[in-house]
Amino acid sequence: MSYPGLKLFMEKLKQMIYSNDISQISNHPSMLSKRPQLQLLYEELGSMIQTLSVETGNDLHELEEVRDLKKRFKDVAEEAQDVVDLFVSDINFISKKQPLISHASEASLDLEDVMRSIKSIQEDFISICHNMKMESTPRTASLKTQSGAAGGTSCYRNSLVWDEVVVGLDRDVDLIRGKLAEDTRKLDVVSIVGTGGIGKTTLATKVFNDPYVVYYFHVRGWVTVSQTYDKTDLLNQLLASIGVEIDPHKRDTYSYLREQLHKCLTGKRYLVVIDDIWNTKAWDYLQVVFPDHEKGSRLLLTSRHKKVALHAKSYGLVHQLSYLTDQQSWELLSRKVFHGNNSVPDSLNVPGMQIARNCRGLPLSVVLIAGVLAKESATKDSWEKISRSGSALVNKGHRETLALSLNHLPSHLRDCFLYLGGFPEDYRFGVTMLIWLWIAEGFIEEVKSQSLEETATDYLMELLDRNLVVIQDRKFDRAIKTISVHDSLRELCLEVATKERVFLKLLGSDQVIDATYKTRRIFTDRYINSTISTRVRSLLSFCSYPYASYIIGKCSHSWTLLLVLDLKQCPLIFLDALTGTGPKTVSSVPEDISLLVNLRYLAIRYYHKDFQSRICDIWSLQTLIIEGISDDPLILPNTLSNLLNLRHLWSQRTIILPPLQTPIMNLQTISSVSLMNEPMSWKKYFPCVKKLSCVIRLDRKSDFKSLTILVILRISSRKCKSIPRFQRNSITFPASLKKLTLKECHLPWSCMSKIQSLPNLEVLKLLKGSFVGRMWEAGEEPFQQLKFLKLVGLDIRQWEASSINFPRLEKLYLGDCHLLKGIPLEMKYIPTLEHIEIKGCNSLVTKSAYKIQEEQHADGNHDLKISSSPLIHGEFWNLKSSSSPLTLGELLRRELSIYIKKKLREITEESRVSSLINNRKGTSINLLTPEELVTLGLPVSDPPVIPAHHHVHMSRIWNNWRSKYRPIKPKISKGGGQIRLFQN
């Protein structure tokens, strides 16, 4: 059992004992007098953590008694944390001259019960260890894990998955079969991964029995591994599936079984399905028993865990199974109930489809509910009744299957996953903020050489590999942006978490909280009220409640133990009762929020201009999120540096930051910040920042080079059109940057060389106004690590670059670059290029992209994909300044003017044409000499009438075009003495 939350508490204890930086409490008499007690508690807790976490060579930690001790210790540690946090809150109240809360008459610290309990646990643990040594047999039958509870979904194999009714797997079968029959002589591994009950074993079975597979492979075998396994049992199972006769007296002899397997596989092309493999150790054991005589043999794995598949073969095919569509679910359901008979009564189609939807795309759920329907009367009333309760029936049927994935999770992952069940159905989790929540809740264990955020990301990837969460959206660079949880798994999480009192989910407004229900966390979809437990640690609201400020002010004295307070859905409206006039509504943070001194995570919706300075007294705060869009920037107090533990400061609108008293040493993330009346000394305020989004002034130098661990940087500028370009100071960048976004920086393209030289840059986004100038000439210097390049809203016309500049580029995005004449064709030589996406650009850009694709295809690279969206009429960016939208008419006027002037220059030299027209104004065309006609580019045989001057009347041309209401490529005709426009 790990204790990540307890380790955060230990860090807090250490800070209280040895640090004097917490101005609110460090020098308070009560704190100074109680430090010896806190130090003793710190030492005892540390000793117990080390004792209960150490790995032993025997089965000590498998003993039920030891497990009970660990649970007791966790409860005692939580009690200790409550006592200490209440003590800190009391000191905070006294220092602010607030009335003490009802549970204490003074700032006291009573740790006697806690210390007594710790001592009792220590004595019991020593006694268990002593008894363990006295036993002659260290491992008893009572300690063994029951194999029946550890099996995978293959336990349903005989009753469910071997049924021939299969829907939605034809393409999967073709893919797997094709991979198995590839012309590769070496032994190869193909894997199928997916969540429990999604049909991995069904797909493997269908491939295993495919007529071509039966013909292609000389020998076929099947072994089901599951969570617990015995080496000899696996070999017996595999040999039996192949049909090898085994000497009954040697069934338990490993060397004999391995020899028999080797004999029957040697010199033959074989296929072995290794079904339901749960861990890498099982693979490490199994792989050595399969000989490779380069006959084209194959191993087909099924697993819930992607990391197992990648461990088996990191570059092999790992096929991820998808959920069924509603239509596929209904097809499977109807075929299972009516045994393949297509004559389903029409009256059952509607309720049947609803039942299919209730299965949430999980094939095992469909099969189980079909078993229920098959035993019911096939009537509309009966099916409608089941459709109303179908989800519950489904969950009851395959609950054990889904629970296997949950029960197999390590404790640290289990806490993180169960936590997701408290959020609303179909909720999309923003990955960044979910990670911040996990950290604040104490789920993330500290790992050497890694930040908590990096460790939390690893946790998330483990859940993804186990198919417990689903990716919903990705960022531009393919990083995961949002995830979700399948409904069935969410319901299981909610049920288990409620039963184990991990959290309480409040749904209806009439739900009453049981006073005996002790919970540490509350998720609520209803209005917040004062009946919520005084010992609650986390409160997350998903209801838009207008009077949250009032409740916070009223309940702050009771919620002093809160670690997480998420009120993003609740605009902070403070009610101030005015005599005779009713309540006055003001957007404000209540002052009493400063009493929540133990808060680690605070998320609010706030619209006011000035920020409540009392929030800076919450010295434990790690994450501060301020949502709410407003034209006014948010002015933060200079006491922000009092937040010693602040790691993340995120806001939807611009933050104005005055000169701070001291640096914020732990701050890693800050968004939309602008420094007030100060040179841009970012290092001075945020020396350890890793992700920075800022607004700068172009008339001041912006030095980011000193931020040596900065990884992500987004820069935009304040409006400063009055500043001449030669007065604008430069921007410097650190070598550590991996992602850079620029907007409205108005840099000349000559400054790009600074960015090109960044050794670690992987993502570059150049948004509207980031660079100015008609040509970007990339030169010879490469972007060493750049994988993703995004250009949006730039006034660039010419782009000259080659594969030398982008040796590792994978994706190129071009949006609203209306004047760009095309993508450099030399980029066709970039071997890593996978995707070019184009939106709102002209046809020249699209044509050049397809030309690059054509050239790559000719060279044998068929991986490059092109996504293109045409220029959309109605609103365009100003072609001159790229700063304001234009109507279609205005855009066409400008495009026509540019086009016709270009054509006139192509006909002849403008100076000679102008001079000739001025000198011969009004002259009949018949009187012009052949030389003059040639100068004008007009045919000598059919001389037209020359207009008085070469300027084009745009109003006349526009009237001719207006009826068309779409851009038509103009064509100049010299016949008839006029420049005319024709449709191509």
Side-chain angles (χ1 to χ4, degrees), residues 381-413:
D381 291 341
S382 176
W383 280 42
E384 283 181 345
K385 181 180 179 180
I386 292 175
S387 72
R388 288 191 291 269
S389 59
S391 183
L393 285 171
V394 167
N395 281 341
K396 183 179 179 181
H398 74 267
R399 160 174 233 289
E400 292 183 1
T401 303
L402 298 179
L404 272 177
S405 291
L406 181 59
N407 294 335
H408 193 66
L409 285 174
S411 59
H412 62 283
L413 290 183

Side-chain angles (χ1 to χ4, degrees), residues 415-435:
D415 291 339
C416 292
F417 184 59
L418 284 178
Y419 191 71
L420 305 182
F423 289 77
E425 189 175 3
D426 299 323
Y427 188 86
R428 289 201 173 191
F429 299 88
V431 167
T432 299
M433 292 187 183
L434 177 60
I435 284 173

Side-chain angles (χ1 to χ4, degrees), residues 656 674-676 680 695-698 716-720:
I656 303 295
S674 178
L675 301 186
M676 179 191 296
M680 295 302 181
V695 182
I696 65 172
R697 290 184 55 169
L698 294 180
S716 58
S717 72
R718 302 180 190 176
K719 294 182 179 180
C720 51

